[in-house]
């Protein structure tokens, strides 16, 4: 990847970057694959076996010069052909598709100059399969993932997770979708095949030579997070979705580093929400708009049957108070001309053909068993996590990330239900006024349920259903119910504003197996 700020880029990537830029690295895929087989644990027979590599490439994004990117490339070694789908003309990684109950092996080879590791965002996997930063591998090495899909059907995703480098690596292009299906989802009767459309929303900034521009290295920019002035959908600018006069399932992922979208239809009709991070809701919901923070997913039922052929609409992001530091005086992170909360079109929809379809919006989508707060081990005493700034760094309870460190409130017993409360009310801990920011808080390993939200906005959240990332605008606090099932070990929770994460707004939690579990 070629960046405008070469000095900072070289700092980030080290001397080996020269090899990357000239594209002189040879493929390590076959060597990695062969070595990987030896390390595969005996007795694990995968339904799906994929060789995945992170590598440097050039790809056309804007008219003119191609853009240097980093990207995931996959090769199917075993499994149904449909389980690995490459997006054409996109830096995004292949869409991996699997069914609940399937066993998946992914032999990941790092062809970057930097260390990296891959995290399966939203998937419930053992601690050593989760891509914790302590598991990073250097360039040239392979990490073999083997896990069973225990999640319900849903729109999950994958991206790198090396400490301090997640922001630049995701920004450079390393991200992909991981779609899980199951019988319940199939029975729901939703649009499928070409009518089931993944839409990854990301923002980027380019220099005059079409190369990606990241942060200039100013602390204040990192405190805000990166904001680009180009909105890309599935890696493409000025994205147009051609549709027929019928219903679609739209799966949206906010894969941006720090941009928040306040999504709405341009013509003002309500959004029909059918799913969130952890899959389908029980019943469809109508929302005038939905806030989508980095890392969050949203599934929509979009019916274009009442639109005349030839007509157009758009998904837009409505204006909101983005809570920038310095009262917006910074003009947005990264020197962006498009601050968080600016209004812009996300993508256009063009109705280009007539098609009859008998599909109607199902009134029941899935069954979700609600946790009972009375079953929580700390129901009277939620664990509190204050999202605060300290010594010019975003922290959780005043602490930043230390590789193996676990504080007392970060220990949990396996197979127990807990109430956690995230508090984004500023103040305390030596905060200065006017520095409140949104924080999308993400837990690894588990899907949780939102128990309660208190704050300013009441309409723009979809707190129903299963979540792994929850957005807190300034002044808000959210209580969630989490069950730490199945897997002992060290997992992460963090702000999914990737610049906040990289500066240490991330912590471990430790799931401890009790003797009765062992
Ligand atoms: Cu999507 Cu720890 O991340
Ligand atoms: Cu995650
Ligand atoms: Cu944050």
């Amino acid at each position: 990847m070629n960046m405008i700020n070469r000095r900072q880029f070289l700092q980030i990537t080290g001397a080996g970057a020269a090899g990357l830029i000239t594209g002189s690295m040879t493929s390590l895929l076959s060597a990695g694959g062969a070595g990987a087989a030896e390390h595969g644990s005996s007795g694990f027979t995968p339904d799906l076996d994929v060789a995945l590599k992170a590598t440097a490439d050039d790809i056309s994004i804007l008219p003119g010069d191609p853009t240097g990117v980093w990207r995931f490339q996959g090769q199917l070694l075993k499994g149904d052909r449909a389980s690995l789908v490459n997006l054409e003309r996109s830096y995004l990684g292949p869409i991996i598709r699997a069914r609940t109950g399937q066993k998946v092996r992914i032999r990941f080879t790092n062809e970057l100059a930097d260390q990296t590791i891959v995290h399966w965002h939203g998937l419930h996997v053992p601690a050593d399969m989760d891509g914790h930063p302590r598991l990073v591998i250097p360039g040239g090495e392979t990490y073999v993932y083997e896990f069973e899909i225990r999640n319900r059907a849903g729109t999950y995703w994958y991206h790198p997770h090396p400490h301090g480098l997640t922001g630049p690596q995701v920004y450079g292009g390393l991200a992909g979708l991981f779609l899980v299906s199951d019988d319940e989802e199939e029975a729901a009767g939703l649009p499928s095949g070409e009518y089931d459309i993944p839409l990854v929303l990301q923002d980027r900034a380019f220099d005059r030579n079409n190369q990606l521009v990241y942060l200039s290295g100013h602390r204040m920019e990192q405190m805000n997070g990166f904001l680009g002035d180009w909105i890309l959908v599935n890696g493409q600018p000025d994205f147009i979705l051609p549709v027929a006069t019928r219903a679609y399932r739209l799966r949206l992922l906010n894969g941006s580093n720090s941009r928040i979208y306040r999504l709405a239809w341009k013509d003002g009709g309500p959004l029909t929400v059918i799913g969130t991070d952890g899959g389908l809701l029980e019943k469809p919901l109508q929302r005038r708009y939905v806030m989508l923070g980095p890392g969050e997913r949203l599934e929509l039922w979009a019916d274009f049957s009442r639109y005349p052929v030839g007509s157009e609409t758009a998904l837009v992001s409505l204006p909101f108070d983005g809570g920038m530091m310095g009262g917006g005086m910074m003009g947005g992170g990264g020197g962006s001309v498009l601050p968080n909360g600016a209004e812009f079109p996300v993508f256009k929809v063009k109705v280009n053909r007539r098609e009859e379809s008998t599909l109607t919006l199902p009134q029941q989508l899935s069954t979700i068993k609600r946790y009972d707060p009375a079953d929580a081990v700390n129901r009277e005493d939620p664990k509190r996590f204050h999202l605060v700034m300290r010594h010019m760094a975003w922290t959780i309870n005043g602490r930043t990330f230390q590789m193996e460190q676990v504080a007392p409130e970060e220990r949990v017993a396996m197979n127990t239900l807990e109430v956690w409360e995230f508090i984004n009310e500023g103040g305390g801990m030596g905060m200065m006024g006017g520095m409140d920011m949104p924080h999308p808080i993400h837990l690894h390993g588990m899907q949780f349920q939102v128990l309660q939200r208190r704050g300013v906005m009441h309409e723009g959240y979809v707190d129903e259903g299963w979540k792994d990332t929850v957005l807190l605008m300034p002044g808000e606090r959210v209580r969630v119910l989490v069950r730490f099932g199945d897997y002992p070990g060290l997992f992460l929770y963090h702000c999914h504003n990737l610049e906040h994460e990289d500066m240490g707004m991330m912590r471990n939690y430790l799931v401890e197996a009790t003797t009765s579990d062992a």
Side-chain angles (χ1 to χ4, degrees), residues 363-440:
Q363 281 321 296
Q364 182 78 28
L365 297 162
S366 76
T367 304
I368 293 175
K369 199 174 165 326
R370 293 296 300 181
Y371 288 141
D372 183 350
D375 293 337
V377 292
N378 64 336
R379 59 189 165 274
E380 309 298 350
D381 182 25
K383 285 185 176 166
R384 295 205 161 85
F385 300 92
H386 293 267
L387 313 175
V388 290
M389 197 203 303
R390 203 179 215 189
H391 307 310
M392 275 308 276
W394 289 110
T395 72
I396 302 176
N397 279 348
R399 303 185 189 99
T400 54
F401 183 66
Q402 308 295 327
M403 199 56 87
E404 311 258 348
Q405 200 183 74
V406 183
E409 73 270 25
E410 294 168 334
R411 293 174 176 270
V412 297
M414 192 160 86
N415 295 322
T416 55
L417 183 71
E418 292 205 358
V419 188
W420 283 21
E421 183 170 45
F422 298 102
I423 300 165
N424 189 18
E425 293 175 347
M429 301 185 143
M431 275 274 310
M432 292 159 67
M435 286 193 171
D436 295 347
M437 277 200 69
H439 301 287

Side-chain angles (χ1 to χ4, degrees), residues 111-169:
E111 292 189 4
L112 309 176
D114 288 308
Q115 53 184 29
T116 193
I117 194 73
V118 182
H119 166 59
W120 317 99
H121 181 129
L123 292 186
H124 179 51
V125 296
D128 57 348
M129 296 293 135
D130 191 53
H132 188 283
R134 74 183 187 285
L135 304 172
V136 288
I137 52 169
E141 286 198 10
T142 296
Y143 194 100
V144 183
Y145 294 90
E146 289 177 340
F147 51 83
E148 184 191 316
I149 307 286
R150 296 207 179 164
N151 287 70
R152 67 204 290 264
T155 306
Y156 308 98
W157 63 301
Y158 61 98
H159 60 77
H161 224 298
H163 182 47
L165 295 175
T166 298
Q169 289 192 1

Side-chain angles (χ1 to χ4, degrees), residues 119 121 157 159 161 295 442 444 492 494 496 498 501 506:
H119 166 59
H121 181 129
W157 63 301
H159 60 77
H161 224 298
H442 169 54
H444 279 219
L492 298 167
H494 60 86
H496 219 287
L498 297 183
E501 172 184 336
M506 173 161 79

Side-chain angles (χ1 to χ4, degrees), residues 250-318:
L250 306 182
R251 305 180 189 240
L252 299 155
L253 158 67
N254 182 353
S256 312
N257 281 36
S258 81
R259 183 174 295 283
I260 296 162
Y261 301 80
R262 186 182 175 211
L263 299 170
W265 290 117
K266 186 185 176 198
D267 46 27
L271 297 167
T272 302
V273 181
I274 57 172
T276 53
D277 302 346
L280 295 176
L281 299 173
E282 285 205 281
K283 295 176 183 357
L285 291 173
Q286 307 274 308
R287 287 283 192 279
R288 210 158 51 89
Y289 63 87
V290 174
M291 303 294 290
L292 198 67
E296 289 188 298
R297 286 86 72 205
L298 181 74
E299 295 201 28
L300 300 177
W301 171 278
D303 189 350
F304 303 105
S305 59
R306 299 226 299 264
Y307 286 77
V309 171
S311 65
E312 262 184 42
T313 184
L315 194 72
V316 298
S317 189
L318 300 173

